[in-house]
């Protein structure tokens, strides 16, 4: 293995690397055929299958000098597992496509796969297939399959009068990214939050069971995602500034960078917190905080007015 | 739409393009939630879910000057639909991830999506989700979900004494690729076979029902795939040269390029023909041709001896 790990993808070759990768991904009793055939075969007991796909591109969604291969694996898995969370479902199986230059160290690919598998294992999900090919830059394509035991919670069910609630750390990853972008490595807790997010994986199903009317995960920024939810539901959403406590590390980064720390919370993604609407405050589960309300109309406001600042990020 | 189609991805923006793309992909009665939410939701009636994923990279798996956007869409879909065919299953639902530079014409993305959707529709499958992001080169990541009504046919079931059989055009796409690589555009039938393969989509299920012991689709070359099948089954496979009739266009290309036309058949992929093993000649379905036999041992031989030439292609 030492020899393998010291090689590049080009030196080791596609099939040798695949055979190493397959060892990292263990199946479970629902995986009738795992990696290695033309397709994987899964036993689906009952109910609905929930499926989502995401791409991560080196230099855009991650940098190899800002996070370890294992961290990138954790993040790639978390981003996709979070999409199933945002439907009120439970993630079960994933596929990974890895496009990479021939000079990518094999050790990077293996550590990436180990981090990916660890994050999946933390919610009981397994990797069942994948593809590996050459490209000029590293592109990671993940598809996740999950199941819903109750009706999935869509973006489109919010009603005027509902309350808007948030669960999970929010703004920490954006703060960490800002720090890394300036060449710093601390506050370490924020940098770690960016490198290895901790999405509230149990909260999606909790929200569904508590009667959430709409649910979305925050990957593109809180206000941006609130906008997607408002548009899909045909409602307006107002977010209250004073609903957010600014955690101490974000205050420190704001002061150091001369930025309003609330911006990390309002426009930050990458923590994969969840945003949901509930019929009333009484139905909001423990651990969630009410951060706004749903009104008639359209668009997103902050304290009733237009938000002066970024709301999230766009890909083009 | 004229304005949209004339724009680049960077000019139009991610969300505007997604809203155009979603119009191209129609659901079916099993798609409870299609593109636009955090995940798609599919109704799975019974049985096993078969899942496969593939990457295509510009300059490596396709060139925009060698095939139209629609052709690339057809090929990307065909490659994945074929993986479900190679399990004896029926493809149902697909996701597409598209990573592309900001200067990619929107018209290319839309034509690609239309070609992709057309190929899927030809087998009754639909696109249920996707992702779009920026990258330096075009990378297409597809995941396909299918169902098996009988036990899936794996690569690993071949037994000594079985016969090896082939269905579908084989070598045509490789001939077309060789022609394009020399800067020619004819024989047109080969170039078209490369641009828009016509996999034998009904043949996988037929093989399963006829009692095929092993099944694989030929995407990396006939001898290479025979080798994968032999390795997974723990057997040797011998391929007979005289089993193959060389179609006239391949003879013409062989003569023009000074190449043995049989090489296109033995080492060519991209037609997505199927290779299967059956217990005996009597069980081989109509339309398949017997091209070899399964023996004890390991590896692949041609007419009992080592093959002198390429067996397929490798990605690194």
């Amino acid at each position: 293995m030492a020899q393998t790990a010291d090689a590049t993808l080009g030196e080791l070759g596609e099939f040798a690397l695949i055979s190493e990768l397959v060892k990292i991904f263990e199946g479970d009793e629902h995986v009738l055929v795992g990696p290695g055939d033309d397709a994987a075969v899964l036993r689906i007991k009952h109910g609905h299958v929930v499926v989502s796909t995401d791409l991560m591109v080196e230099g855009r969604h991650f940098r190899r000098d800002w996070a370890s291969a294992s961290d990138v694996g954790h993040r790639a898995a978390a981003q996709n597992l979070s999409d199933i969370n945002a439907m009120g479902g439970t993630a079960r199986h994933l596929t990974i496509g890895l496009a990479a230059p021939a000079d990518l160290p094999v050790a990077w690919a293996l550590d990436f796969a180990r981090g990916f598998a660890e994050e999946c294992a933390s919610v009981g999900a397994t990797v069942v297939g994948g593809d590996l090919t050459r490209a000029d830059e590293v592109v990671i394509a993940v598809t996740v399959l999950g199941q819903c035991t109750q009706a999935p919670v869509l973006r489109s069910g919010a009603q005027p009068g509902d309350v808007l609630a948030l669960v999970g750390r929010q703004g920490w990853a954006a703060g960490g990214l800002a720090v890394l972008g300036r060449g710093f490595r601390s506050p370490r807790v924020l940098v770690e939050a960016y490198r290895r997010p901790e999405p509230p994986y149990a909260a999606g199903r909790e929200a569904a069971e508590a009667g959430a009317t709409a649910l979305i995960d925050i990957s593109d920024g809180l206000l941006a995602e609130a906008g997607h939810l408002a548009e899909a539901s045909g409602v307006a959403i107002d977010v209250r500034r004073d609903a957010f406590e600014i955690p101490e590390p974000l205050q420190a980064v704001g002061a150091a960078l001369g930025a309003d720390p609330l911006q990390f919370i309002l426009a930050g993604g990458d923590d994969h917190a969840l945003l949901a609407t509930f019929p009333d405050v009484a139905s909001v589960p423990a651990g969630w905080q009410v951060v706004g309300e749903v009104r008639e109309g359209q668009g997103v406001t902050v304290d009733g007015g237009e938000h002066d600042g970024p709301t999230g990020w766009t890909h083009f």
Side-chain angles (χ1 to χ4, degrees), chain A:
Chain A
M1 267 306 294
Q3 201 184 346
T4 299
D6 289 345
T8 66
L9 261 60
E11 290 160 358
L12 184 61
E14 175 191 9
F15 294 112
L17 178 57
I18 288 174
S19 79
E20 292 297 328
L21 290 170
V22 165
K23 292 176 196 163
I24 293 171
F25 302 127
E26 283 177 39
D28 60 46
E29 73 274 20
H30 301 293
V31 181
L32 305 181
V33 178
D37 217 295
D38 295 292
V41 181
L42 313 173
R43 192 203 323 265
I44 300 294
K45 278 193 176 164
H46 57 81
H48 301 147
V49 170
V50 189
V51 57
S52 179
T53 197
D54 267 315
L55 296 172
M56 282 175 70
V57 179
E58 179 170 12
R60 188 152 182 86
H61 299 99
F62 66 93
R63 281 175 54 161
R64 275 190 263 162
D65 56 338
W66 282 3
S68 72
S70 175
D71 288 339
V72 176
H74 275 273
R75 275 189 65 211
Q79 175 176 331
N80 283 274
L81 297 171
S82 178
D83 283 322
I84 303 302
N85 198 21
M87 300 297 280
T90 304
R92 296 283 188 215
H93 305 294
L94 299 95
T95 62
I96 311 184
L98 176 64
D103 66 359
L104 186 80
V106 167
W108 196 94
L110 296 178
D111 287 343
F112 163 80
R114 287 187 197 104
F116 192 96
E118 279 169 20
E119 187 73 19
C120 293
S122 76
V123 301
T126 55
V127 176
V128 296
D131 191 22
L132 176 66
T133 193
R134 187 162 168 173
D136 292 341
E137 59 193 335
V138 179
V139 178
I140 299 160
V142 179
T143 299
V144 57
L145 308 183
Q147 283 193 277
C148 276
T149 49
Q150 76 297 313
V153 186
L154 310 186
R155 301 178 173 189
S156 51
Q159 299 284 338
D162 286 355
V163 296
L164 181 74
L166 171 78
V167 69
R169 295 193 306 203
Q170 172 57 21
W172 291 50
L177 185 59
V179 161
L180 287 166
R182 301 294 183 99
F184 300 116
R185 292 284 189 264
S186 69
R188 193 156 178 82
V189 64
L190 297 186
V191 170
E192 285 303 315
Y194 167 76
R195 289 178 173 158
R196 202 172 287 203
E198 296 179 6
Y201 287 126
R205 209 167 59 238
E206 278 172 16
E209 287 164 0
T213 53
L215 183 57
I216 197 168
D217 81 312
I218 302 177
S219 45
D220 285 346
L222 191 155
L223 294 179
E225 302 291 0
H228 297 155
L229 200 156
E231 189 181 353
S233 296
V235 296
I237 288 180
D238 186 57
V239 174
R240 284 204 324 269
R241 282 174 167 269
D242 68 6
F244 301 97
E245 270 185 54
I246 313 285
E248 191 284 326
L250 281 185
Q251 292 184 26
V253 170
L257 304 183
D260 177 0
L262 189 62
Q263 292 299 335
F264 297 122
I265 294 174
L266 294 180
D270 288 326
D271 293 300
H272 300 296
L274 293 181
L275 205 55
T277 55
F278 294 92
D280 48 44
V281 173
S283 57
V284 176
W288 291 69
Q289 56 177 141
V290 174
V291 298
E293 62 180 39
V294 182
R295 299 174 179 174
E296 296 204 9
Q298 58 181 16
V300 175
T301 50
V302 177
D303 290 341
E306 204 169 321
H307 175 63
D308 181 26
T311 60
W313 96 332
T314 54
H315 295 278
F316 284 97

